[in-house]
């Protein structure tokens, strides 16, 4: 039977098949036990729960929409629903799964050699190894074509120099997918932890995604064998295609964060009494709830539609931009509005909305900022690329 969910006004769960609903329930139940009770503390302590990684692997959540090499091979909609449940707990958990599955594993699965796939994918899928994806640099974010990290040939080897910034999972990673300029354009390389000259340092003092490891990667004359290069990745289109995979998980994920905020605010408003009645009985509060429920439902409808397009194999990147742009913007609006309903208590870590809102600031910026996605949609409509 469909999930009986008061937040599912439009009965959108009736649009899911049995396997999709099963996956969503299983992930939700697992997290209710293993993550939800601890998440406020992890966020406060800037702690990422590494012990969950093999459990996420066992549940098939790592590279879950990829085929073969120990990956679960479920449809894209199921992957989206898993992201939704992860992000309903915290965007940091969803970010881990997005980077591991859609950036690290997808880059190897799509562009790697057979040996690279055999070496890394089964371990990454099982959560026995962690991956990261280095595209952004200290001086290069929205315009990655101008990256400064370089890989230069030395006989059959490559010598890698440069640095990458804001890299999710960087300090945890056993293998980094690193994008670098070569005389032959942008290429991708797999750099294992421990390679001489490769070091990482974690970024401290974050006010967002605190339950997630974000790092700087440094490459100082790192010597790599020819077999470290991802043979099928040529040009900027390769890393951008990986980001497109991850964005798909995000446009589902943020619906989970928004749902969790709305749930917290509904429950609070029901028990908080002012002027002799529950604040849920005031018209202004109800208008907030109604607007948020409309926005949550339309975001979910959009996510499901894009899931069906992805499963049909017809989705275009500007459609993913529409989803990321709308759903992150709406989720952030919902998180902030829910915070107001909680009044002073809303600024406490005891309640989820401000934690989600702070997390969503990162989600608004990473994987293509909202401004860049706006201009991608603008380009699709007008044929003019205004961002360059
Ligand atoms: P900039 O590109 O400098 O942009 C600054 C502002 O200018 C933004 O508002 C932007 O929209 C605007 N702007 C830039 N160009 C234009 C334009 N042409 N028109 C209009 N406005 C423009 N990167 C990775 O490679 N791997 C990761 O795992 C990863 N994880 C991250 C985790 C976190 C928590 C965060 C915060 C970031 C992460 N990133 C990662 C980096 C992220 O993708 C970049 O921050 C993002 O691409 C923006 O780049 P920037 O920060 O350099 O901002």
């Amino acid at each position: 039977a469909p999930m009986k969910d008061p937040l599912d006004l439009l009965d959108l769960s009736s649009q899911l098949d049995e396997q999709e609903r099963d996956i969503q329930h299983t992930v939700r139940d697992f997290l209710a036990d293993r993550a939800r009770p601890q998440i406020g503390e992890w966020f406060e302590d800037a702690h990422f729960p590494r012990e969950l990684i093999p459990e996420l692997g066992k549940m098939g959540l790592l590279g879950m929409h990829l085929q073969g090499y120990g990956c679960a091979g479920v449809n894209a909609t199921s992957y989206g629903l898993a992201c939704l449940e992860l992000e309903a707990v915290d965007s940091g958990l969803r970010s881990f799964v997005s980077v591991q599955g859609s950036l690290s594993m997808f880059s190897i699965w799509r562009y790697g050699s057979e040996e690279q796939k055999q070496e890394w994918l089964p371990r990454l899928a099982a959560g026995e190894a962690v991956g990261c994806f280095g595209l952004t640099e200290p001086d290069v974010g929205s315009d990655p074509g101008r990256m400064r990290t370089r890989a230069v040939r030395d006989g059959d080897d490559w010598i890698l120099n440069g640095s990458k910034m804001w890299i999710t999972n960087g300090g945890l990673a056993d293998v980094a997918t690193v994008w670098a300029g070569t005389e032959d354009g942008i290429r991708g390389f797999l750099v294992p932890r421990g390679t001489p000259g490769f070091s990482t340092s974690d970024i401290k003092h974050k006010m967002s995604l605190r339950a997630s490891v974000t790092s700087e990667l440094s490459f100082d004359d790192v010597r790599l064998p020819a077999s470290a290069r991802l043979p099928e990745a040529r040009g900027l289109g390769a890393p951008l295609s990986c980001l497109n995979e991850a964005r798909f998980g995000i446009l589902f994920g943020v619906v989970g964060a928004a749902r969790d905020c709305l749930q917290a605010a509904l429950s609070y408003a029901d028990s908080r009494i002012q002027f002799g009645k529950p604040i849920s009985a005031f018209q202004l509060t109800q208008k907030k709830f109604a607007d948020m429920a409309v926005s949550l439902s339309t975001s979910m409808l959009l996510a499901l539609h894009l899931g069906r397009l992805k499963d049909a194999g017809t989705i275009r990147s500007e459609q993913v931009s529409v989803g990321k742009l709308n759903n992150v913007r709406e989720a952030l609006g919902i998180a902030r509005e829910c915070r107001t309903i909680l009044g002073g208590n809303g600024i406490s870590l005891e309640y989820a909305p401000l934690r989600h809102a702070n997390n969503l600031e990162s989600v608004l910026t990473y994987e293509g900022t909202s401004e860049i996605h706006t201009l991608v949609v603008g380009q699709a409509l007008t044929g003019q690329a205004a961002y360059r």
Side-chain angles (χ1 to χ4, degrees), residues 23 37 90 94 136 184 194 206-207 246 280 295 307 312 318 330 339 361 375:
I23 288 174
D90 193 87
R94 199 270 307 140
T136 306
D184 212 10
K206 288 182 296 174
M207 294 172 73
S280 60
S295 144
E318 69 268 23
E330 293 302 306
R339 206 292 304 159
E361 295 288 347
L375 297 177

Side-chain angles (χ1 to χ4, degrees), residues 94-387:
R94 199 270 307 140
S95 295
F96 176 86
V97 166
S98 289
V99 168
Q100 178 92 348
S102 286
L103 294 181
S104 164
M105 292 175 70
F106 181 81
S107 67
I108 299 169
W109 183 85
R110 173 70 182 76
Y111 298 108
S113 65
E114 191 53 37
E115 299 76 66
Q116 290 168 336
K117 294 180 198 184
Q118 299 281 1
E119 179 176 4
W120 289 110
L121 290 178
R123 291 165 60 203
L124 290 164
E128 288 160 9
V130 173
C132 71
F133 181 93
L135 181 64
T136 306
E137 301 184 351
D139 296 322
V140 178
S142 298
D143 187 12
R146 285 176 216 240
M147 68 177 64
R148 295 186 181 171
T149 299
R150 297 284 299 171
V152 177
R153 282 262 191 209
D154 182 36
D156 280 347
D157 292 349
W158 292 91
I159 308 293
L160 183 66
N161 276 290
S163 63
K164 296 289 175 181
M165 191 64 179
W166 298 113
I167 306 307
T168 303
N169 299 351
L172 297 174
D174 299 288
V175 63
T177 297
V178 180
W179 301 95
T182 72
E183 59 178 17
D184 212 10
I186 289 172
R187 298 298 188 123
F189 297 86
L190 295 183
V191 185
R193 170 197 284 287
T195 306
F198 170 35
S199 59
T200 68
S201 77
D202 295 345
I203 297 172
K204 307 271 185 237
H205 313 301
K206 288 182 296 174
M207 294 172 73
S208 174
L209 283 190
R210 290 180 58 77
S212 170
V213 174
T214 318
S215 317
E216 178 168 11
L217 315 181
S218 305
F219 307 95
D220 183 11
D221 283 332
V222 174
R223 179 175 290 275
L224 299 169
S227 61
R229 189 167 62 86
L230 293 170
E232 306 302 326
R234 291 191 183 81
L236 193 58
L240 296 188
S241 76
C242 301
L243 294 174
N244 218 36
E245 290 296 305
R247 273 170 208 144
F248 174 80
I250 291 174
L251 68 88
F252 267 89
V254 294
V255 177
R259 184 194 72 195
D260 192 54
C261 292
L262 190 49
Q263 195 163 19
L266 277 167
S267 131
Y268 186 87
D270 184 49
S271 60
R272 178 73 179 173
I273 313 285
Q274 291 294 293
F275 300 95
K277 52 183 183 176
I279 59 171
S280 60
F282 296 118
Q283 289 185 349
L284 289 179
T285 312
Q286 290 193 7
K287 172 164 167 43
K288 290 178 184 179
F289 282 138
D291 287 343
M292 290 192 288
V294 168
S295 144
L296 181 71
S297 305
T298 51
S299 294
M300 186 63 197
L301 197 53
L302 176 55
L304 276 178
H305 173 65
L306 293 174
R308 298 309 177 207
L309 291 187
K310 188 161 171 60
D311 280 323
T314 62
I315 198 165
R316 297 192 306 272
S317 63
E318 69 268 23
Q319 295 172 327
V320 177
S321 289
V322 169
K324 198 223 174 211
L325 183 61
N326 181 76
N327 287 8
V328 179
R329 186 160 65 191
E330 293 302 306
L332 187 53
I334 288 174
R336 288 175 177 155
E337 190 83 296
C338 287
R339 206 292 304 159
T340 69
I341 293 172
L342 272 64
N345 280 322
I347 73 149
S348 164
L349 253 178
E350 290 293 309
Y351 297 92
L354 188 58
R355 173 171 52 81
H356 283 303
N358 276 12
N359 285 337
L360 289 166
E361 295 288 347
S362 289
V363 182
L364 192 68
T365 288
Y366 71 23
E367 302 269 354
T369 66
S370 53
E371 292 80 7
I372 294 296
H373 286 297
T374 300
L375 297 177
V376 167
V377 175
Q379 182 182 10
L381 293 171
T382 66
Q384 314 265 13
Y387 48 83

